[in-house]
Amino acid sequence: MLSSFVLDYLYRKNQREAEMILRSVLVDNSFNVKLSGFEITGFYDNEATKEGIKKLFANIHQSALYTSEISTKMLHISSWILAIGFIVVVTSLFLGFGNSLFSLLVLKIWLSYVVVGHYLELKHLSEKSNYICHEAKRIWAYRLENGENGTFIADALAVSLLYETTLSESEILLSTKIKNKYNDQLEEQWIETQHRYELAE
């Protein structure tokens, strides 16, 4: 039996392989099957939700919520790093150190993927996952009024695929430190979502 922290370790060690495992676990958990050969505990909090498309979408929504909140907080940190690097570069140029080895090194690092690229990747992930959360709420609200008809299923699958595509495109490893720090708050948000949209019904 694997716990969620083992999955986190695997993800950081081999991201692509771990993504395949996570998708298999998602299917197993959502449809109450054991196709992957893995039994995961503590990864989703939707045991009260009936197996099927509804539970799949609930699992995706919960993952998107965590991704949105964690990536947004990581983006704030990355913004400060970007700003500090910019200030150092501008200050060096202003003081006449533009041709110094130090200034060139700082400028190269600042313009590299390490700073600018990482910031842009985080921004994309944060915006996309936030959009997915908003769409998920819209779809759950639709379900409350119209039931689990074809439109609900189609929308739920479309948003689920969008989330999985977003993760595949992103090369960002979400911060475990931030997740642990805000885990209780995130769990409360998800419980509130479960009650609001009657996900246990």
Side-chain angles (χ1 to χ4, degrees):
M1 180 177 292
L2 296 177
S3 62
S4 57
F5 76 88
V6 174
L7 268 183
D8 182 73
Y9 169 78
L10 288 174
Y11 189 84
R12 292 177 182 279
K13 185 177 181 181
N14 192 329
Q15 181 177 351
R16 295 306 177 190
E17 181 179 346
E19 283 179 357
M20 296 297 295
I21 294 174
L22 289 177
R23 289 192 184 98
S24 298
V25 169
L26 171 65
V27 172
D28 284 1
N29 183 274
S30 300
F31 295 95
N32 194 27
V33 294
K34 295 187 182 299
L35 301 179
S36 67
F38 295 98
E39 185 176 351
I40 304 299
T41 60
F43 206 76
Y44 298 109
D45 299 311
N46 300 302
E47 290 79 8
T49 303
K50 184 179 179 180
E51 292 85 1
I53 297 297
K54 178 183 173 182
K55 189 170 185 178
L56 171 70
F57 192 45
N59 287 339
I60 289 290
H61 188 180
Q62 182 183 7
S63 296
L65 170 65
Y66 276 63
T67 300
S68 174
E69 294 293 331
I70 295 170
S71 62
T72 298
K73 288 175 172 54
M74 290 174 65
L75 183 63
H76 292 158
I77 297 172
S78 183
S79 298
W80 277 105
I81 295 174
L82 191 67
I84 291 171
F86 178 76
I87 291 171
V88 170
V89 170
V90 171
T91 302
S92 298
L93 293 173
F94 180 77
L95 295 177
F97 299 136
N99 294 323
S100 70
L101 182 61
F102 172 75
S103 296
L104 293 175
L105 179 61
V106 171
L107 181 60
K108 184 176 181 180
I109 294 175
W110 186 77
L111 292 175
S112 71
Y113 174 81
V114 174
V115 179
V116 177
H118 184 72
Y119 170 82
L120 293 176
E121 287 279 358
L122 266 176
K123 187 173 185 295
H124 176 74
L125 180 61
S126 175
E127 290 175 349
K128 277 287 189 179
S129 55
N130 186 52
Y131 168 77
I132 289 167
C133 286
H134 282 293
E135 280 295 286
K137 291 177 182 178
R138 177 187 65 78
I139 294 169
W140 288 127
Y142 174 88
R143 169 185 164 272
L144 287 178
E145 292 186 6
N146 302 281
E148 296 177 26
N149 57 21
T151 299
F152 165 76
I153 293 173
D155 282 348
L157 288 176
V159 171
S160 297
L161 289 173
L162 176 60
Y163 178 69
E164 288 299 318
T165 301
T166 300
L167 286 186
S168 295
E169 292 175 346
S170 172
E171 296 182 356
I172 298 296
L173 294 176
L174 295 177
S175 169
T176 302
K177 183 178 180 180
I178 292 177
K179 178 184 180 296
N180 292 337
K181 181 178 180 179
Y182 294 97
N183 190 61
D184 291 343
Q185 177 182 323
L186 291 170
E187 285 185 353
E188 289 177 4
Q189 286 187 50
W190 181 242
I191 291 173
E192 180 184 345
T193 299
Q194 288 176 315
H195 291 320
R196 179 182 301 172
Y197 298 108
E198 301 176 4
L199 302 191
E201 296 295 324

